[in-house]
Amino acid sequence: MFKKFQPSTDVAGQTPVKSSVQRGIRSTILSLWNIDAETLEEIWPKKESIVNVKCRDHLSIYALHGEPLFFQHFDGPYFPTLRLLHKYPFILPHVRIDRGAIRFLLAGAHMMCPGLTSAGGWLPPADAALPTGTPVAFEAEGKEFIVGIGITKLGTEEMKTVNKGVAVESITYVGDDLWAIQKL
Amino acid sequence: MADITTFTQIEKRATPPVQMFYCSVCTFPPEYCEFGNSLSKCKEWLQTQRPDLYEKFYSEEALKAKLGTISQEAQSKLEEDTAKKEAKAEAKADAARKKKLASQVVIKRIERNKRKFVTSIRGLEAFGVDLKKAAKLFAQRFATGGSVTKNAAGIDEIVVQGDVSQEIYDMIAEANEGGGEDGKGGKKGVDILKGVLIDNVDIVEEKRKKDSEQ
């Protein structure tokens, strides 16, 4: 999604978000992410008002003091930015890709099933299976930090049985154009 | 009272953020430098900045352990790719630098009405100057109107009222005094104009044809 993204051409405008809408976003995030209210308060204090940076293709980036915190496509789920996720890695469920897949992810490719089901990869066990359309964080084999964020196209149990084709669509990854933006 | 208790709870429960350490060459977390396009520079930088991490990522055992499940063949392919990418990125940066050296800034004096002039400045954006800010700076400095407009060719240029071409030339010179490629030095206040190569700045004059015939 952010393979090509230039603030000069792709940003349509910035608007402050209404406080009632902010309340809605806050509660959605609390139910969507694995985060407690106190930690969210740390990231985004109640008193501070966030700014909606509207971009092309119905993409909204929400920024606090110019620093992008999370974004949303259409009415889809909210995704944290990678930098935020690096600070709070627990807010999204993790999947691990094997070493061979890293360079494809960093070139912007979607992640295929074998990259997750092979020996280097990791998927949550059956009792913690993730359904389709869940935002997930990509860990990488032998690495400590999260390398990207994606959204599942198959349930994790399905991935194990099908083992073919796109498993997780990549949304943002280290080194894409969103990563390059530190201030909006 | 209730407020105080909730406040202390927050203090206790909010999870502190992980302190991240990023490579200042490629901005990746250092363990991902190997997938970037400036590995050798990153390596050098990490060795001076954080020898402990360098040891962790690039020592012999680390390299061996890294192979993990990947085959020898795939690994060598990866290394080849990295080297290629690096060369490509360098070539690109080189081309960008050359282009910068070749690009021209034109300060044009345009006769508007007999003895009234406007000054247009074109080509500043090639040197990474923020046109809006520069226009504002000129407008403030000369106490006249200064704006960014699209010219006939659809390229942004700065138009300042009055004949200030020499002054603008001096300002650009002043901003880049004593500074080399990196644009260090120079005076405060005009640092928006930093990085422009003064040798590439031209002053030209344009008269309206009709007027010159008279």
Side-chain angles (χ1 to χ4, degrees):
Chain A
M1 192 183 283
F2 290 104
K3 183 150 197 205
K4 281 220 163 66
F5 183 82
Q6 286 307 322
S8 55
T9 55
D10 291 333
V11 171
Q14 301 195 359
T15 43
V17 183
K18 270 198 264 178
S19 68
S20 58
V21 178
Q22 287 198 25
R23 255 197 317 273
I25 295 174
R26 216 177 261 279
S27 63
T28 320
I29 286 181
L30 282 176
S31 62
L32 194 68
W33 297 355
N34 176 24
I35 191 170
D36 49 49
E38 285 75 16
T39 313
L40 184 61
E41 176 73 25
E42 238 356 57
I43 301 170
W44 172 19
K46 222 166 245 162
K47 290 249 169 69
E48 314 269 9
S49 161
I50 53 167
V51 173
N52 177 359
V53 183
K54 282 188 198 151
C55 312
R56 46 103 226 228
D57 296 343
H58 295 272
L59 179 74
S60 333
I61 302 175
Y62 294 91
L64 183 68
H65 304 309
E67 185 191 347
L69 284 185
F70 47 90
F71 56 90
Q72 182 191 29
H73 187 229
F74 275 100
D75 290 330
Y78 294 98
F79 293 97
T81 57
L82 258 183
R83 281 178 207 273
L84 180 67
L85 197 61
H86 276 153
K87 285 186 197 154
Y88 301 94
F90 49 83
I91 57 184
L92 290 184
H94 289 198
V95 296
R96 185 168 342 116
I97 55 174
D98 62 20
R99 204 180 140 73
I102 299 176
R103 72 192 176 97
F104 294 108
L105 178 62
L106 293 188
H110 296 324
M111 287 297 98
M112 306 292 152
C113 286
L116 294 153
T117 51
S118 70
W122 182 85
L123 283 169
D127 55 345
L130 302 168
T132 316
T134 319
V136 288
F138 288 118
E139 281 177 10
E141 178 191 1
K143 305 287 183 193
E144 190 180 341
F145 299 114
I146 290 160
V147 64
I149 298 171
I151 184 160
T152 53
K153 282 283 127 188
L154 294 172
T156 49
E157 285 311 296
E158 235 178 303
M159 289 176 205
K160 287 175 198 166
T161 52
V162 177
N163 207 8
K164 216 173 205 179
V166 178
V168 185
E169 250 177 39
S170 72
I171 300 289
T172 176
Y173 50 91
V174 168
D176 67 359
D177 282 346
L178 180 66
W179 174 260
I181 300 169
Q182 304 200 16
K183 279 255 163 216
L184 265 173
Chain B
M1 264 317 257
D3 277 355
I4 294 168
T5 49
T6 45
F7 184 70
T8 48
Q9 262 174 5
I10 291 167
E11 290 277 290
K12 241 185 264 167
R13 283 177 51 195
T15 324
V18 177
Q19 286 301 321
M20 284 302 289
F21 172 74
Y22 294 118
C23 170
S24 76
V25 180
C26 62
T27 73
F28 290 8
E31 57 180 7
Y32 288 109
C33 282
E34 54 174 326
F35 294 101
N37 48 21
S38 55
L39 177 60
S40 49
K41 267 189 214 140
C42 295
K43 260 178 160 174
E44 222 170 82
W45 174 83
L46 194 67
Q47 198 164 22
T48 53
Q49 294 294 312
R50 293 284 296 269
D52 52 326
L53 283 181
Y54 182 85
E55 200 50 32
K56 190 173 155 198
F57 297 139
Y58 301 114
S59 67
E60 280 294 313
E61 307 98 79
L63 287 179
K64 231 177 251 165
K66 235 176 19 181
L67 280 177
T69 56
I70 211 170
S71 67
Q72 191 67 45
E73 206 176 307
Q75 177 64 22
S76 57
K77 170 123 179 24
L78 181 68
E79 269 161 27
E80 215 172 86
D81 271 5
T82 314
K84 224 187 263 170
K85 249 204 268 173
E86 204 169 337
K88 220 175 177 181
E90 235 158 69
K92 210 172 166 189
D94 213 39
R97 204 166 333 136
K98 270 206 190 116
K99 199 175 169 199
K100 198 170 147 184
L101 282 177
S103 50
Q104 287 278 331
V105 173
V106 181
I107 302 176
K108 199 187 261 178
R109 189 174 82 150
I110 303 168
E111 191 174 329
R112 195 165 57 83
N113 187 5
K114 289 280 168 192
R115 288 178 55 214
K116 299 211 192 287
F117 299 95
V118 289
T119 311
S120 94
I121 305 108
R122 207 177 58 208
L124 278 178
E125 69 278 358
F127 295 95
V129 176
D130 187 337
L131 289 187
K132 265 190 194 159
K133 277 186 187 154
K136 180 108 193 205
L137 173 74
F138 292 141
Q140 250 164 12
R141 177 64 63 98
F142 306 123
T144 57
S147 64
V148 182
T149 46
K150 274 207 167 93
N151 65 5
I155 303 162
D156 278 339
E157 58 179 21
I158 299 176
V159 176
V160 185
Q161 285 175 18
D163 177 14
V164 287
S165 41
Q166 191 55 48
E167 283 92 332
I168 287 175
Y169 183 87
D170 292 343
M171 270 171 83
I172 296 174
E174 192 186 317
N176 295 289
E177 226 159 56
E181 257 278 284
D182 51 350
K184 267 182 193 156
K187 268 194 183 168
K188 252 195 171 178
V190 289
D191 48 5
I192 297 162
L193 300 172
K194 241 185 224 169
V196 181
L197 298 170
I198 196 69
D199 302 335
N200 290 6
V201 180
D202 259 353
I203 299 183
V204 291
E205 195 164 328
E206 184 187 87
K207 268 190 183 169
R208 289 239 304 251
K209 258 198 184 140
K210 208 170 141 198
D211 293 346
S212 55
E213 280 163 10
Q214 282 173 353

